[in-house]
Amino acid sequence: MPIKNRYAELHSEITEWRHDFHIHPELMYDVHRTAARVAELLREFGCDEVVEGVGKTGVVGVIHGQSIASGKAIGLRADMDALPIHEATGLEYASQTPGKMHACGHDGHTAMLLGAAKYLCETRNFDGKAVMVFQPAEEGGAGGLAMCQDGMMDRFGIQEIYGMHNMPGQPVGQFAIRPGALLASSDEFEIIVTGKGGHAAAPHDAIDTTLVAAQIVVSLQTLVSRNVDPIKRVVLTVGTFETDSVASNVIAHEVRMKGTVRTLDTEYREFAEKRVREIVEGTASAFGATVEIAWSRGYPVTMNTSEHTVFAAEVAKSIAGNVDDNVDPIMPAEDFSYMLEERPGAYIFLGNGDTAMCHHPKYNFDDEAIPFGSSWYSGMIEARMKMNTN
Ligand SMILES: [Zn+2]
Ligand SMILES: [Zn+2]
């Protein structure tokens, strides 16, 4: 199963869809134009069912194989949303909306999955149902969770689900995957420390909140260095630090900090929250300050199931020749993780060549990756729901 010849013919058409999405980036759940275009194309291809408004603005297209006797249904997922970044690529099809940009390649993911949908509608060389999932709000809005909470898995009978992300720095068309944790979980916290403001020359009459908060920042770093098994992967970063003093001769009354904890080991999510609370409360009380801590759970660990990872790697290998099937995990988070919490499946990286990194104003999706991505999506359907040739 090398790159399918049909994708050589479809390449320019899929590229046009991609450039159209790129010109018109939309954020979070506000992907109305993109979703409408996706639904229009899915209907044009002849999908057996096209449902809009799943998880607010998600779209699902169902394609029946020549037979559906196997009773199988497999989900393939792409994301549709862009980022609040001002594009600096200078491309002729650059964003026409200042401050919005497809800087993560979701335009490419959506176009590649549409290409696979067109091919699968033409050929239907499988036994079962292919469920094409186009989700909104991957970039921080948990659109994947919204689609799951809308009952997508049961409603369309999805038994397994697969997703893909382009990867700058890997050769175009090279796939990489691993069983188990591929991307981290991401949780956020906000800490408000209250001491007692005062005159900089009379610290004995104040409780110096800046000093207390600084101790907290330093102590929090012991969570990873002293409390976590060195073999495990956890990272904690305090990203903001704001005092309410704007003068050099004023001791702050209040300090606000925000940070994030990422891990590839699910058991450390609860541990990190518990330990952060202990360190923050203990340190504050040692200095006579008080604290409020708000903790918010973000995306879970993206956890590939072993059997499905092996399968996804085999399909990738048949397309690209070789595949890195034990790639190092990375610490960003991905909301396909919610779909993998509901159903087994796998997430795979597809090389995007020597481009700027995702979320950079000069990033661009490489159109040469399209035949590889579309081939993998449709290959998963044909290989996982083979026609009975007897
Ligand atoms: Zn992104
Ligand atoms: Zn992305």
Side-chain angles (χ1 to χ4, degrees), residues 77 79 81 83 103-106 109 138-139 165-166 333-334 347 358-359:
R77 171 272 204 177
D79 35 17
D81 58 320
L83 283 155
C104 204
H106 298 182
H109 304 162
E138 193 288 318
E139 299 287 0
H165 207 291
N166 75 91
E334 160 61 57
Y347 198 58
C358 294
H359 295 207

Side-chain angles (χ1 to χ4, degrees), residues 310-330:
V310 168
F311 205 85
E314 275 171 15
V315 170
K317 216 171 281 177
S318 70
I319 295 162
N322 69 328
V323 54
D324 180 355
D325 58 10
N326 195 22
V327 70
D328 280 341
I330 55 173

Side-chain angles (χ1 to χ4, degrees), residues 196-209:
K196 186 178 166 205
H199 197 294
H204 56 292
D205 290 330
I207 294 170
D208 184 349
T209 320

Side-chain angles (χ1 to χ4, degrees), residues 135-205:
Q135 77 152 78
E138 193 288 318
E139 299 287 0
L145 177 63
M147 291 188 88
C148 288
Q149 286 177 337
D150 215 353
M152 176 181 77
M153 296 296 181
D154 288 339
R155 184 170 171 191
F156 298 99
I158 297 169
Q159 295 150 353
E160 302 168 12
I161 191 149
Y162 299 90
M164 183 196 303
H165 207 291
N166 75 91
M167 187 53 68
Q170 277 179 36
V172 172
Q174 185 171 322
F175 292 93
I177 194 168
R178 77 186 303 275
L182 183 65
L183 292 111
S185 62
S186 170
D187 297 327
E188 291 182 357
F189 57 82
E190 180 170 14
I191 299 167
I192 303 171
V193 189
T194 307
K196 186 178 166 205
H199 197 294
H204 56 292
D205 290 330

